Amino acid sequence: TNAALFQMTVYDPSYKTPDWMKESVVYQIFPDRFYNGNKKNDKAKTTARGTEPIEHRDWNELPDNPRQAETEGYDGDEIWSNDFFGGDIAGIQKKLDYIESLGVNTLYLNPV
């Protein structure tokens, strides 16, 4: 089987959209890549994925892609999901005026 081709659609015909959501303008934020509002917590933990070390990447770099491990110039550690960029909740708080200026009234954060 090929997991990349997997799709799961969930549909509940009795579901009703909550009234508060009907007029919402939602802004989805991936906190780690949004804005670094507290540099003191950038290296607060030496491990974030069990025993796997945190791989700190430069803000302007793409996340590590272990599929490229055999390519020339690859500089990652061949571990998925252990590279962090420093964005945090403090960064979101510092940008709330900007977000509101876009007409946004609902934030969707993932993952937290």
Side-chain angles (χ1 to χ4, degrees):
T1 60
N2 187 342
L5 299 177
F6 181 78
Q7 176 182 337
M8 181 172 79
T9 304
V10 178
Y11 174 72
D12 181 354
S14 65
Y15 179 78
K16 302 290 183 222
T17 303
D19 288 338
W20 66 267
M21 186 67 176
K22 292 177 183 174
E23 300 297 322
S24 293
V25 177
V26 179
Y27 193 85
Q28 183 175 359
I29 296 176
F30 186 67
D32 183 53
R33 290 305 298 256
F34 182 72
Y35 185 73
N36 189 347
N38 181 1
K39 294 189 184 288
K40 291 180 196 171
N41 69 15
D42 287 0
K43 297 186 183 195
K45 215 176 160 192
T46 56
T47 59
R49 310 263 311 161
T51 59
E52 295 174 356
I54 292 176
E55 178 179 16
H56 290 281
R57 306 292 285 183
D58 180 87
W59 189 268
N60 295 312
E61 286 184 289
L62 293 172
D64 184 8
N65 183 351
R67 286 190 186 108
Q68 297 176 342
E70 302 301 318
T71 62
E72 187 177 334
Y74 176 78
D75 68 345
D77 62 9
E78 298 185 43
I79 299 173
W80 291 99
S81 304
N82 74 327
D83 47 342
F84 295 92
F85 293 83
D88 48 32
I89 299 298
I92 295 169
Q93 290 172 319
K94 288 182 178 183
K95 295 293 185 175
L96 286 175
D97 287 342
Y98 164 73
I99 295 168
E100 186 178 28
S101 78
L102 300 174
V104 172
N105 59 18
T106 305
L107 295 180
Y108 175 57
L109 309 181
N110 67 296
V112 174

